Amino acid sequence: MSKIEIKKDLKALNNEIAAENRDVFKKNNIYTINIMGSPGAGKTTLLENILKPLADSFSIAVIEGDLATANDSERIKKLGVEALQINTDGGCHLDARMIQEELSKIDLNDINLLIIENVGNLVCPISYDLGEDLRLVVLSTPEGEDKPLKYPPAMLNTDAVVLTKIDLAQFVDVNMENMEKNIKDINPKADILKAGKRDGVYNADSVTEYIVKRVGSKKEQ
Ligand SMILES: Nc1nc2c(ncn2[C@@H]2O[C@H](COP(=O)(O)OP(=O)(O)OP(=O)(O)O)[C@@H](O)[C@H]2O)c(=O)[nH]1
Ligand SMILES: [Mg+2]
């Protein structure tokens, strides 16, 4: 078997397990979000700021994916939210089987929102379905306004792009309008949300509202 055939087989197997995960989520009325983005884009900081307001409406568990350390799951646990840590030991993305294994450790009757923070990487996680309902790609302004053009799969295979560190744009010569235009040029359908510090206070209200709305519109289906 050639390398390409093995790769195709692995993707097909991942899709099968993702479908099994999706069935489990459906049976247990769990809405699932997959958060992706480069290392340090601000994924955990975003979570730290949306979990409290989301906890008003949902019972939440978080799965953190990193090559090493339990730093991110520890940050989430500090907020009183159940958090599990996957260490990929060098792997650049989570896959559906890893999520399936973690699901056996969660009381699925107890939660209705599962948020997965993927391994920091703007390429590998994008092509792995985990069985999620919603995909968010976090893109921070210091990464540069041309990144949507240079990493099109991340823009194309997401429901929304969350532009983070908006407070830093001015210091790194990034024009937010250009950055948003670059996202829309690749994927006109992607929703664009913003988060970051305003007057020194982190604000991610638009992300919280977006998630509440998306869960609501799935229930109506
Ligand atoms: N000024 C500013 N700093 C931010 C913002 N969001 C995150 N940071 C900082 O950026 C750094 C990285 O943030 P994290 O939330 O750990 O990033 P991450 O995407 O979870 O990183 P990995 O999980 O390692 O990929 C931290 O020092 C944060 O304090 C923001 O909106 N504004
Ligand atoms: Mg993180």
Side-chain angles (χ1 to χ4, degrees), residues 95-133:
D95 63 36
R97 176 148 351 251
M98 293 174 190
I99 299 303
Q100 192 173 52
E101 278 171 18
E102 293 309 299
L103 291 180
S104 64
K105 301 175 195 165
I106 303 173
D107 187 345
L108 300 175
N109 291 314
D110 264 9
I111 63 160
N112 54 15
L113 180 64
L114 175 68
I115 304 182
I116 301 163
E117 179 184 337
N118 220 308
V119 177
N121 190 302
L122 199 51
V123 182
C124 307
I126 308 298
S127 54
Y128 284 82
D129 183 9
L130 305 178
E132 68 271 20
D133 295 289

Side-chain angles (χ1 to χ4, degrees), residues 40 42-45 64-66 72 75 117-118:
K43 298 178 292 298
T44 312
T45 304
E64 287 288 346
D66 283 290
D72 282 4
R75 283 167 68 180
E117 179 184 337
N118 220 308

